[in-house]
Amino acid sequence: MPRWLRPVLLAALAVVAVLAWQALTVRANYGGNWTGLFRTGAAMPMPPGWSAGVQRSVHPIGYDGQYYLILAHDPFLRNGAADYLDIPALRARRILLPLLAWTIAGGRGELVAGVFIALILAAVFGGVYWLSLLFARRGWPAWYGLLFLLIPATVIGIDSMTVDVALAALAAGLLWQAETGQVGARWATLAAAGLVRETGLLLILAAAIGAAREKRWGPAALWLSAALPAVLWYLYLDSLLSPAASPRLGLPAWVLHDLQGGLWTALWQPLPYPTLPPTLRLAARALDATALSGMIAIVLYGAWGVRRGTPGLGRSLLAVHVVFALALLSPEFWSSAYGFGRAMGPLFTGLLAVQTSRPRLAAAAALLALIDLRILAEYAGQAQGVLRWLGR
C-alpha cells in the first residue's frame, strides 16, 4: 500500500464511523430529521421562513450549534439573523464553516444543514489524515492518527455541530505543513483558523512567535499577515452591528470576567446540579472533577513539553495555548467540559502531535480520555434511545 494511501483510508474509516453514529442517533432520537444534530432549544426563537422544519431539542435553551445553523442561512447578517444570536458579534466572528455551508449550498436553505454536517465530517477527515501523516513521518503506525477522535472538540462537534473540531483539525494540518515546509498552505490554514473562531488567532501568534524566536523576521511578518482576513471580517461586523451586540473590549466575556483562580478554583466549586437525584448528582460532580483534573494535568504536561520539547511550531503552539489556559481566570469558563473541551482543541491536538515517544503519546491520550468521560456522559440519553430503537 502506498504510504499516502493509509492515512486517507484511516481518515475515511473515521468519517464512516462518525456518520454511522450520527445516522443511528438521528433515526432513533430525532425522527430522522438531521437538523436535530444542531441542538436547537425548544424555547429558542428562530428566524421565520426556513426554520419550520428544524428539529427542536428537549432542552429549552439548546446548544451552540443552533447559532451556526442560523448563520449558515444568513452569513452576512443581511436578513435579520443577528436578532436570533445570543451574542451576535461573537457568534458571527466564527463565520468560516457557516459561510462555506451557505456558499456550497448555493444559498439554498434546504441544503445548508446537510452541507454544514458534511463540513464537520470533513474536519474529522482532515484531523485524522494530518495526524496520521505526522505519526507516519516519524516512523510510527499511521493509525495513531485516529487519536484525533479522542480530542474533546471532536467528541462534542460530531454530536452538536460546533465549529471547534475544525480548528483542532487545522492545528493538525498546520503542524504537518510546518514539518514539510509548505508556505502557501500554511498561510491559508492560519487565515482559515482566524475565521473558524477567535481563538484561531492564537495559531497565528504561535507561528509568528516560532519564526521570531529563530530571528526569521520575514516569515514572522508573513504569518502575522494571515490575521488580515479575520480583521477585515471583524471590521465588517463592527460596521453592521450596534456596540451593544459586541463583547466587552472585543473579547468574549469569559476572557475578562470574574477574575479568580480559574481552572484551580473551578475544581473546588463544583456545579450544584439541583435537579438531579443524589446518586446522579454525585456521579456528575465526580466526572466534572475528573475532567478538571485531566485538564490541569494537560496544562502541566503541556508546560513540560514546552520546556523539554524540540524547537519548532509544535512547541510554540503548546506554549501559547498553555499560557492562554492559565490566563482564563473565570471559574465559570471551566465549569463545563463541554465549554473548555471545545475552546482548547488546538492545545489537545498539539499535545498529541509533539510527543516524541509512544509512552508519552499514550499518557497524552489518557489525559484526553479523562475529559471525554464527562462529555460522553451526555451521550447516555441518546445511547438509550438508539438501543430502544435497535431493540424494536
Side-chain angles (χ1 to χ4, degrees):
M1 182 182 297
R3 291 179 66 107
W4 61 267
L5 184 56
R6 185 171 283 109
V8 171
L9 293 178
L10 287 167
L13 176 63
V15 168
V16 169
V18 169
L19 186 59
W21 162 255
Q22 290 176 333
L24 278 173
T25 193
V26 165
R27 182 64 184 89
N29 297 302
Y30 305 135
N33 188 336
W34 283 77
T35 63
L37 293 173
F38 290 88
R39 303 285 190 90
T40 303
M44 297 298 288
M46 294 287 283
W50 60 264
S51 60
V54 172
Q55 177 72 28
R56 295 284 185 153
S57 169
V58 296
H59 193 283
I61 303 300
Y63 203 58
D64 291 4
Q66 63 191 332
Y67 302 121
Y68 304 126
L69 180 60
I70 293 171
L71 279 170
H73 281 85
D74 182 18
F76 295 103
L77 305 181
R78 294 297 187 181
N79 297 312
D83 296 335
Y84 299 90
L85 304 176
D86 57 345
I87 311 174
L90 180 62
R91 296 298 178 193
R93 287 177 182 177
R94 304 169 182 180
I95 193 59
L96 184 61
L97 263 62
L99 179 59
L100 283 176
W102 179 82
T103 303
I104 296 171
R108 296 176 60 183
E110 68 273 17
L111 300 179
V112 161
V115 174
F116 194 99
I117 294 169
L119 290 172
I120 295 295
L121 293 172
V124 173
F125 183 97
V128 173
Y129 173 72
W130 281 315
L131 269 188
S132 295
L133 287 174
L134 282 166
F135 290 131
R137 183 177 174 86
R138 67 186 59 160
W140 294 358
W143 67 262
Y144 285 4
L146 292 172
L147 290 175
F148 185 78
L149 298 176
L150 272 183
I151 292 176
T154 305
V155 181
I156 298 167
I158 63 178
D159 189 57
S160 59
M161 298 297 105
T162 46
V163 299
D164 315 88
V165 58
L167 187 57
L170 289 176
L174 183 66
L175 292 171
W176 166 252
Q177 292 153 5
E179 203 161 301
T180 52
Q182 302 177 48
V183 176
R186 210 183 321 174
W187 191 95
T189 298
L190 289 170
L195 291 169
V196 169
R197 60 171 291 158
E198 65 287 348
T199 51
L201 296 173
L202 294 176
L203 294 180
I204 297 174
L205 180 61
I209 289 175
R213 283 179 59 87
E214 298 172 1
K215 295 183 169 32
R216 295 187 296 116
W217 308 115
L222 178 64
W223 306 141
L224 285 175
S225 73
L228 184 60
V231 170
L232 292 176
W233 178 250
Y234 292 1
L235 291 174
Y236 169 78
L237 294 177
D238 285 345
S239 70
L240 191 69
L241 301 171
S242 67
S246 300
R248 287 179 305 118
L249 303 177
L251 297 172
W254 41 265
V255 174
L256 293 174
H257 174 66
D258 194 16
L259 302 183
Q260 296 184 35
L263 179 57
W264 322 98
T265 304
L267 187 60
W268 308 110
Q269 295 179 355
L271 292 177
Y273 297 108
T275 61
L276 291 182
T279 303
L280 289 180
R281 185 184 310 131
L282 180 62
R285 286 183 168 182
L287 288 172
D288 282 346
T290 300
L292 285 167
S293 299
M295 188 65 223
I296 291 172
I298 285 171
V299 170
L300 296 175
Y301 198 33
W304 182 83
V306 171
R307 183 175 177 81
R308 301 294 296 272
T310 56
L313 178 59
R315 190 161 127 181
S316 297
L317 186 150
L318 275 184
V320 166
H321 285 85
V322 165
V323 171
F324 176 56
L326 293 174
L328 295 174
L329 298 179
S330 170
E332 182 181 355
F333 172 80
W334 299 104
S335 63
S336 168
Y338 255 72
F340 67 77
R342 292 184 296 110
M344 295 296 159
L347 170 60
F348 302 145
T349 300
L351 193 73
L352 292 174
V354 303
Q355 300 307 322
T356 56
S357 71
R358 299 188 194 191
R360 291 178 184 175
L361 178 64
L367 294 178
L368 293 181
L370 295 179
I371 301 174
D372 290 336
L373 287 174
R374 179 63 186 92
I375 296 167
L376 289 173
E378 300 295 327
Y379 276 69
Q382 291 185 66
Q384 290 175 359
V386 168
L387 291 175
R388 283 194 298 268
W389 181 76
L390 291 174
R392 289 178 182 175

